[in-house]
Amino acid sequence: MKKNNGSAEGPDSLVYTARLPLSSATLNWLADLIRGHCKKIGSRWRALPAGKIAGIVLAVLRCDQRPGDLAGGNGIHRTTVTRWVREVVGLLAARAPRLDRALKKIARKGGGIVLLDGSLIRTRRRTGTANRKNYSGKHKHHGLLVIALTDDKGRLIWVSAARPGRTSEITASRHDKLTAHLRAAGLGAIADLGFIGLDDSGPDTDPAVITGYKAARNRPLTRGQKLSNKALATVRAPVEHGFAHLKNWRVLGKVRTDPRWATTLVRALLVLTNQEVAR
């Protein structure tokens, strides 16, 4: 039987040119990273040069382009594009900073606080009981929870592993021993009301995590507490910019791959985000 490996659209499919909203510095940096990796593993030949490979990978991550469409436009197979994406994502994730090193770097620069927040990355709904843990009752859809730290200007410095959507932000932070790392680095974190109860320090010690005040049914907030919440909200506002920069990578719009691979993907995008923002 004769195999048909041609494109589904036929031999006369159209090819168009699109603009990638990234800097040439990011493209060149990623191309150099790919060249170094190829030299290290002794890969003497690739179907396309490192610059082209970097552009294809960035198109998949930034614009969520289908690997099959990029493969047809560059004369390669779809599985080749998928393999390149996974290879480059692994290289980038290996360069993501660890929590203790990221906090020590902030302390060496003279910083005193970091901003703490969590966000849900949407995933496609899958049938079966195994996917029930990914359903977030807070957001009313399936996803994976990611905790992130930024500096006082909103630049991302660390992201946690991706955990099931039903996990609370406090549970995820305790799993990473966040308060212990903050105290070891001599830093404090400012967070929203979702992190109330995370800091278990005594009354005579400085808190590692600072949150606002939450009103109760029979105990409304005083004027001073409202002013304190407003001041904290102003200080922690830049953390939203950090997540906005991260979610500019449209591949995170709705993760279609194995959720276990989402941690590697998010950490790779953290490295690319910092490379793009710091240029």
Side-chain angles (χ1 to χ4, degrees), residues 20 22-32 50-52 54-56 58:
L20 192 61
L22 293 171
S23 65
S24 58
T26 301
L27 175 66
N28 295 332
W29 176 82
L30 185 58
D32 291 339
K52 277 280 190 180
I56 290 174
L58 289 176

Side-chain angles (χ1 to χ4, degrees), residues 41-193:
I41 65 176
S43 178
R44 300 182 179 180
W45 181 86
R46 292 287 174 99
L48 294 175
K52 277 280 190 180
I53 296 175
I56 290 174
V57 172
L58 289 176
V60 172
L61 299 179
R62 186 69 170 189
C63 301
D64 199 17
Q65 289 282 352
R66 292 175 54 191
D69 295 339
L70 292 170
N74 290 276
I76 53 179
H77 199 273
R78 178 185 58 81
T79 57
T80 303
V81 176
T82 303
R83 184 173 67 251
W84 285 345
V85 171
R86 288 188 171 268
E87 182 182 37
V88 173
V89 165
L91 291 175
L92 292 170
R95 303 173 69 91
R98 289 170 41 182
L99 176 57
D100 53 348
R101 295 178 181 176
L103 293 177
K104 289 179 181 178
K105 185 177 180 180
I106 295 293
R108 285 196 302 267
K109 291 182 178 180
I113 62 169
V114 293
L115 306 179
L116 171 64
D117 201 0
S119 182
L120 195 76
I121 299 174
R122 297 194 64 173
T123 59
R124 287 189 179 274
R125 179 179 179 179
R126 297 183 179 182
T127 58
T129 57
N131 194 45
R132 291 179 182 175
K133 60 183 179 181
N134 293 330
Y135 182 77
S136 171
K138 176 181 177 181
H139 297 88
K140 307 302 181 185
H141 57 70
H142 291 74
L144 299 171
L145 177 67
V146 174
I147 304 296
L149 290 175
T150 71
D151 60 10
D152 55 354
K153 295 183 179 180
R155 291 188 291 260
L156 286 167
I157 60 175
W158 173 81
V159 292
S160 70
R163 295 187 172 88
R166 71 180 181 186
T167 307
S168 67
E169 295 172 335
I170 292 181
T171 301
S173 300
R174 287 174 177 168
H175 188 275
D176 291 322
K177 300 179 180 179
L178 190 58
T179 55
H181 285 288
L182 288 170
R183 291 193 181 96
L187 298 175
I190 297 180
D192 59 12
L193 299 181

Side-chain angles (χ1 to χ4, degrees), residues 203-268:
D204 298 330
T205 59
D206 294 332
V209 180
I210 302 173
T211 59
Y213 298 93
K214 182 183 291 187
R217 178 177 299 178
N218 299 323
R219 190 177 66 250
L221 296 180
T222 64
R223 183 174 182 273
Q225 290 174 338
K226 292 179 180 179
L227 292 175
S228 177
N229 284 352
K230 186 176 181 179
L232 286 176
T234 303
V235 174
R236 64 171 299 275
V239 74
E240 303 296 341
H241 300 296
F243 272 116
H245 286 303
L246 186 64
K247 291 189 175 182
N248 276 338
W249 302 90
R250 297 178 186 174
V251 71
L252 291 180
K254 184 174 285 187
V255 179
R256 292 188 294 269
T257 57
D258 187 350
R260 292 175 296 181
W261 191 66
T263 297
T264 305
L265 177 62
V266 170
R267 288 175 175 170

